[in-house]
């Protein structure tokens, strides 16, 4: 024990209970990550390292609503705070309301927000976007001072695996395509996806007869519609996923 508290009833025993609870509680880690699914996945390697470095820690993840299901199976998960973007950065006020009353031993803020500055906390690591032509997983790993690259890690629950089996039953191979992005400048031309899909699924091609899965965030189906139509016109089966993380 760290101290020898007095015994008996009364104020001293009450203080003993409070102090004892503070000493034995789990370390709490707040992990603030991206709104988008892709960037959130790239950050999971860091979270996995934090969990390995602090066994038994209570983990809280703050991210966008679309990415939130990615973290449902995180070991030691206390809760996921799904931040829906609001005008004038109002979502950060929601974030503060969810976190301000808690003491955090470690805060890892991959959004580099000012909101985490005012929290009751121990160590704070704030990442700010780096435009250097270096893979994001490498940038993130260097940000936390890791000697190697923290590869992405997912924690599927049995319910996730069952949903996956229903979505993609056993059968022919599946070609999965993600033709959309959060802004047009990051998107490969849809005509290129159409050409690539035809080449890969044509007779005698590597994925001849394959089913094609087209994925995107809610509201992005319209962008992918020409690709979906062409796949169907070519006689291939299409699996559409535009409801976030499935």
């Amino acid at each position: 024990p760290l101290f020898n508290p007095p015994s008996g009833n009364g104020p001293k025993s009450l203080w003993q209970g409070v102090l004892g609870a503070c000493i034995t509680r789990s370390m709490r880690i707040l992990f603030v990550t991206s709104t988008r699914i892709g960037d959130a996945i790239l950050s999971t390697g860091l979270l996995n390292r934090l969990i390995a470095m602090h066994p038994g820690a209570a983990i809280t993840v703050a991210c966008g609503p679309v990415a939130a299901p990615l973290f449902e199976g995180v070991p030691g998960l206390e809760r996921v705070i799904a931040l829906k973007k609001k005008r004038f950065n109002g979502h950060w006020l929601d974030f503060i309301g969810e976190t301000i009353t808690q003491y955090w031993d470690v805060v890892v803020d991959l959004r580099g927000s000012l909101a985490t500055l005012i929290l009751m906390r121990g160590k704070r690591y704030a990442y700010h976007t780096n435009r250097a032509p270096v893979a994001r997983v490498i940038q993130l790993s260097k940000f936390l001072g890791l000697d190697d690259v923290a590869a992405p890690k997912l924690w599927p629950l049995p319910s996730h695996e069952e949903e996956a089996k229903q979505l993609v039953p056993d059968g022919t191979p599946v070609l999965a395509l993600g033709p959309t992005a959060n802004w047009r400048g990051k998107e490969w031309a849809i005509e290129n996806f159409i050409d690539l899909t035809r080449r890969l699924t044509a007779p005698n091609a590597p994925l001849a007869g394959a089913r094609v899965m087209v994925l995107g965030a809610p509201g992005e189906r319209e962008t992918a519609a020409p690709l979906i139509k062409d796949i169907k016109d070519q006689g291939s089966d299409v699996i559409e996923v535009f409801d976030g993380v499935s």
Side-chain angles (χ1 to χ4, degrees), residues 1-3 16-28 55-58 105:
L2 300 179
F3 63 97
Q16 171 189 344
V18 172
L19 188 56
C22 292
I23 290 172
T24 60
R25 71 163 179 80
S26 298
M27 169 182 276
R28 282 193 164 85
D105 297 277

Side-chain angles (χ1 to χ4, degrees), residues 47-63:
L47 180 57
N48 189 46
R49 291 296 181 90
L50 286 168
I51 293 169
M53 291 163 58
H54 304 287
I59 308 295
T60 293
V61 177
C63 61

Side-chain angles (χ1 to χ4, degrees), residues 35-59:
T35 299
R36 301 283 300 186
I37 295 173
D39 287 339
I41 289 174
L42 294 179
S43 74
T44 56
L46 288 190
L47 180 57
N48 189 46
R49 291 296 181 90
L50 286 168
I51 293 169
M53 291 163 58
H54 304 287
I59 308 295

Side-chain angles (χ1 to χ4, degrees), residues 4 7 80 92 129 154 202 216:
N4 293 311
S7 58
V80 176
W92 289 116
T129 301
L154 296 179

Side-chain angles (χ1 to χ4, degrees), residues 128-144:
H128 298 280
T129 301
N130 187 338
R131 300 297 182 185
V134 179
R136 187 173 179 84
V137 288
I138 296 177
Q139 291 185 14
L140 292 175
S141 300
K142 288 183 176 180
F143 153 68
L144 275 193

Side-chain angles (χ1 to χ4, degrees), residues 4 28 85 112 130 159 179 184 189 200 212 221:
N4 293 311
R28 282 193 164 85
K85 281 196 172 183
N130 187 338
S159 59
R184 294 285 183 178
L200 290 175
V212 182
R221 190 188 185 284

Side-chain angles (χ1 to χ4, degrees), residues 30-47 60-65 67-68 70-71 74 80-83 85 91-92 95 107-113 116 127 136 140 155:
L30 175 60
F31 189 77
V32 184
T33 186
S34 305
T35 299
R36 301 283 300 186
I37 295 173
D39 287 339
I41 289 174
L42 294 179
S43 74
T44 56
L46 288 190
L47 180 57
T60 293
V61 177
C63 61
L70 289 171
F71 301 98
V74 167
V80 176
I81 302 171
L83 295 175
K85 281 196 172 183
H91 50 283
W92 289 116
F95 168 80
V107 174
V108 176
D109 183 358
L110 301 184
R111 304 281 289 277
S113 69
T116 55
Y127 175 80
R136 187 173 179 84
L140 292 175
W155 302 269

